[in-house]
Amino acid sequence: MTAHRAFVRRTALSVTAGAAALVLAACGSDSGSGGHDMGSMESDSSPTATASAKAGDHNDADVDFSKEMIQHHRQAVDMAELAADRASSQEVKNLATKVKGAQAPEIKTMSGWLTSWGEDVPEEMSADMGHDMSSAMPGMMSGTDMDKLEKASGAEFDTMFLTMMVEHHEGAVEMAETEKADGKYGPATKFADDVVTAQTAEIKQMNKMLGKS
């Protein structure tokens, strides 16, 4: 009888220990899952934003938007760098600095998304390409446009830069609206919404500088 009680007690302890182990394992799993979700949220909002961009989180519209907007942003940065050197107005120089400061980090963010999706990041536009992607993306300047801008100076440069950048921004807003409508990846559609807000405001600012307000 004593032996039987001892066996029953050992069995009960074993079951209790097993149940406790299962509970701890479940808690550890939940905790790990929660930690991963938080990490994903943090990576989505960070400049590199790569960890959570899994295959099921995005669609073709997100890929197209990221690839095209990278090239679009690169040209805007090129234009802004020209303005930093050649603009005669300090107001134009300040705007150019603002454009470059905003869009250069965004290029890195979108490149991170593409890499995490297993997609190629677009190559830098070479001189041979001549920025002739204007037919593929709204608002892109042609090689001829960029040549004219590079050769301009003084007040002529300022007017040309502002006029071109307004068109460039309008193209970016159009691309962003398409992403908002068709995209699936949350950070990309949120970014597109931010592009619409920020660049619409800058369009108004530039038109005012051009005397068109």
Side-chain angles (χ1 to χ4, degrees):
M1 204 55 187
T2 302
H4 177 70
R5 277 202 215 96
F7 174 76
V8 170
R9 186 170 180 273
R10 283 197 302 272
T11 302
L13 287 172
S14 177
V15 171
T16 302
L22 287 173
V23 170
L24 288 172
C27 290
S29 176
D30 290 345
S31 175
S33 174
H36 175 73
D37 291 345
M38 182 59 71
S40 296
M41 289 172 63
E42 289 174 355
S43 68
D44 288 346
S45 61
S46 71
T48 52
T50 60
S52 66
K54 298 177 183 177
D57 296 334
H58 73 285
N59 59 17
D60 289 342
D62 298 316
V63 174
D64 291 344
F65 171 72
S66 299
K67 288 186 174 183
E68 292 179 0
M69 191 61 83
I70 284 172
Q71 297 289 44
H72 208 270
H73 270 25
R74 282 173 177 167
Q75 188 177 70
V77 170
D78 287 345
M79 294 167 68
E81 288 176 345
L82 278 175
D85 291 334
R86 306 181 70 85
S88 62
S89 165
Q90 187 59 48
E91 190 176 11
V92 171
K93 287 179 181 288
N94 291 343
L95 174 67
T97 299
K98 180 181 177 183
V99 168
K100 181 179 178 180
Q103 297 196 22
E106 290 168 354
I107 291 170
K108 293 182 180 180
T109 296
M110 292 182 285
S111 297
W113 294 342
L114 290 171
T115 298
S116 68
W117 296 333
E119 300 284 347
D120 293 331
V121 176
E123 295 181 2
E124 293 278 355
M125 291 184 291
S126 66
D128 292 337
M129 293 172 69
H131 297 276
D132 283 325
M133 302 182 71
S134 53
S135 60
M137 285 175 275
M140 286 288 283
M141 298 297 108
S142 67
T144 300
D145 293 331
M146 293 300 292
D147 287 342
K148 288 180 180 178
L149 187 63
E150 288 175 5
K151 293 174 182 177
S153 61
E156 179 189 14
F157 177 92
D158 294 351
T159 299
M160 191 178 297
F161 170 80
L162 291 171
T163 302
M164 288 183 177
M165 193 59 83
V166 165
E167 182 179 347
H168 205 270
H169 273 26
E170 288 172 345
V173 169
E174 181 180 337
M175 293 163 65
E177 291 287 8
T178 299
E179 167 63 13
K180 286 173 62 179
D182 301 336
K184 178 182 179 183
Y185 184 53
T189 56
K190 173 62 170 62
F191 166 62
D193 190 53
D194 292 342
V195 167
V196 172
T197 300
Q199 297 205 20
T200 297
E202 289 178 355
I203 289 169
K204 291 180 180 179
Q205 178 187 356
M206 289 186 287
N207 278 329
K208 185 176 181 180
M209 292 165 70
L210 287 166
K212 296 180 179 180
S213 59

